[in-house]
Amino acid sequence: MDDTGVILCQNFLDELSEAITLCAPDQLFVLTDENTHEMCLPLLHEIDALTQAHHIMIGAGDVYKNLKTLSNVWQALSDQSATRHSLLICLGGGMVTDLGGFAASTFKRGIKYINIPTTLLAMVDAAVGGKTAINFNGLKNEIGVFQPAFRVLLETEFLHTLDAHNLLSGYAEMLKHGLISNYDTLNELLAFDLANTNYNQLKQLVGKSVSVKEIIVKKDPKEQGLRKSLNLGHTIGHAFESLALNQQRPVLHGYAVAWGLICELYLSHVSVGFPRDVMRRVIHFIHENYGSFIFTCDDYELLYKLMLHDKKNKGGIINFSLLTDVGELCLDQTATQSLIYETLDFFRESMGI
Ligand code: GLY
């Protein structure tokens, strides 16, 4: 384990038992959603410490990442007389770890929690780095706190049950980590065959990817500067995600991020000189694996408005995290409305639409 509490598991059950023992909780709670309750919880049954655990199950999906579900979790903790010495284990994807982390961080002003992410997206991003949240007022992750988990246990065996789309969704965040770190990591990621997943190799890539994030979070846990680099691809990616949701054709978060990366690499190229050949290689990989996101110029205005909601913005100015080269960050950049529209034109041309 490193000093940020993230463990790439070699023996998951032992490592979880050790983490629980170290916490020495007076009561133990396990939070799952309907899916992880059925698919993942049985894998934990051998752990003695969990025989007395209280189970809290919530609905699966982002639609349940709200105040009502949060209140149900607080209620369950309160009904079972949880104390400040109780421990919450969050077993699930990013929705469970975000909401569970927030519930734990606020109950009695904060109890310890352990994240066990079960999706690739949660392993390489959501469950690591201490961001907790629920959606509010139609906005994603609008309410939350920064509060790191006591431990994050990465058990890549869970990935065997993940469908191809969710695997790709998480992989987009790994591509982002490659772009903000170095050429070796990026090249390794671009060479990985996602159609015939080698899970041993994927485990190594997950370990490397998470360490990129951890190094950044350690230097800037509350996103005052450097951590903004983790938003590469997300300013436009979130706008794509919201547009798709508004038009009742939701897309997975990582797909929107992958398409957002294409746009923000173009912006990086034209604004701060990111190399064209690398941009082209990344676009090719994304187009091959993620396909296209279809929209027309009639959607530009709404996409622009959605970008104005980004959490990094200040004073109504859209804030982008760009790159001058792989691993060379250029934070707090902005772009005119006409350059953003040009970027959307470029995206549609690259996708052949
Ligand atoms: N998902 C970006 C961050 O954790 O900062």
Side-chain angles (χ1 to χ4, degrees):
M1 187 194 67
D2 55 35
D3 57 1
T4 55
V6 181
I7 302 173
L8 186 63
C9 292
Q10 301 306 330
N11 189 331
F12 170 61
L13 294 180
D14 286 353
E15 282 147 337
L16 177 55
S17 297
E18 267 172 40
I20 295 170
T21 307
L22 209 60
C23 250
D26 60 356
Q27 287 205 82
L28 194 49
F29 293 82
V30 183
L31 179 71
T32 51
D33 67 20
E34 291 152 332
N35 295 334
T36 56
H37 188 85
E38 189 190 327
M39 311 282 289
C40 306
L41 189 61
L43 301 178
L44 272 55
H45 275 158
E46 281 174 42
I47 297 185
D48 287 342
L50 288 182
T51 50
Q52 303 297 321
H54 302 284
H55 293 280
I56 309 173
M57 190 179 75
I58 58 179
D62 212 58
V63 66
Y64 291 103
K65 194 177 176 182
N66 56 25
L67 205 50
K68 171 85 175 63
T69 310
L70 176 69
S71 161
N72 290 344
V73 176
W74 282 331
Q75 189 73 52
L77 292 168
S78 186
D79 287 348
Q80 298 297 333
S81 310
T83 73
R84 213 177 248 181
H85 305 283
S86 300
L87 171 67
L88 180 69
I89 296 178
C90 306
L91 177 68
M95 182 272 190
V96 172
T97 59
D98 275 9
L99 185 143
F102 187 45
S105 304
T106 45
F107 185 78
K108 292 195 187 285
R109 299 204 181 92
I111 65 172
K112 287 196 176 79
Y113 70 99
I114 291 177
N115 279 342
I116 307 175
T118 56
T119 64
L120 186 57
L121 190 75
M123 284 181 199
V124 297
D125 191 25
V128 176
K131 277 188 180 175
T132 71
I134 56 163
N135 302 334
F136 184 71
N137 199 23
L139 297 168
K140 275 179 72 75
N141 300 332
E142 184 72 348
I143 311 287
V145 293
F146 288 98
Q147 182 59 52
F150 175 71
R151 291 283 181 276
V152 182
L153 298 179
L154 304 177
E155 168 53 301
T156 52
E157 286 300 307
F158 287 122
L159 298 179
H160 289 270
T161 56
L162 207 60
D163 62 82
H165 288 119
N166 276 291
L167 203 68
L168 274 162
S169 183
Y171 203 79
E173 297 288 357
M174 294 169 68
L175 279 179
K176 176 196 78 182
H177 290 158
L179 281 161
I180 61 175
S181 55
N182 56 59
Y183 274 101
D184 283 351
T185 310
L186 179 66
N187 289 338
E188 205 176 356
L189 289 162
L190 293 178
F192 187 69
D193 183 0
L194 280 158
N196 299 292
T197 312
N198 174 331
Y199 285 94
N200 286 332
Q201 197 190 347
L202 182 60
K203 180 172 180 171
Q204 302 316 314
L205 291 176
V206 166
K208 277 193 197 173
S209 195
V210 169
S211 38
V212 172
K213 177 160 184 177
E214 286 178 275
I215 291 166
I216 291 170
V217 170
K218 210 172 150 194
K219 290 187 185 151
D220 177 19
K222 297 210 169 157
E223 203 166 303
Q224 302 300 302
L226 183 64
R227 188 167 181 167
K228 290 184 197 166
S229 61
L230 294 172
N231 289 301
L232 178 70
H234 284 64
T235 311
I236 298 182
H238 277 150
F240 286 160
E241 196 176 358
S242 301
L243 178 79
L245 200 61
N246 283 351
Q247 297 177 340
Q248 275 136 32
R249 48 166 183 143
V251 295
L252 290 172
H253 173 71
Y255 276 66
V257 169
W259 295 318
L261 283 174
I262 293 181
C263 294
E264 293 183 26
L265 286 185
Y266 176 75
L267 270 182
S268 296
H269 172 64
V270 295
S271 304
V272 293
F274 186 86
R276 178 186 288 275
D277 60 318
V278 187
M279 173 184 79
R280 286 278 167 212
R281 276 202 297 136
V282 177
I283 292 176
H284 178 75
F285 182 90
I286 292 175
H287 196 196
E288 287 270 290
N289 287 286
Y290 296 81
S292 308
F293 180 58
I294 313 278
F295 58 94
T296 70
C297 43
D298 291 341
D299 297 313
Y300 286 15
E301 198 182 333
L302 178 55
L303 283 167
Y304 185 74
K305 277 194 186 139
L306 289 165
M307 287 174 216
L308 287 168
H309 274 294
D310 194 274
K311 284 190 200 61
K312 295 187 303 321
N313 297 345
K314 200 173 169 188
I317 295 172
I318 302 176
N319 180 299
F320 288 100
S321 302
L322 302 181
L323 295 173
T324 57
D325 203 336
V326 174
E328 302 293 333
L329 309 172
C330 199
L331 304 177
D332 297 321
Q333 299 299 300
T334 195
T336 60
Q337 186 167 1
S338 78
L339 180 54
I340 292 174
Y341 282 19
E342 176 189 317
T343 303
L344 297 173
D345 284 341
F346 171 83
F347 176 84
R348 288 171 59 226
E349 278 157 30
S350 305
M351 296 289 108
I353 48 176

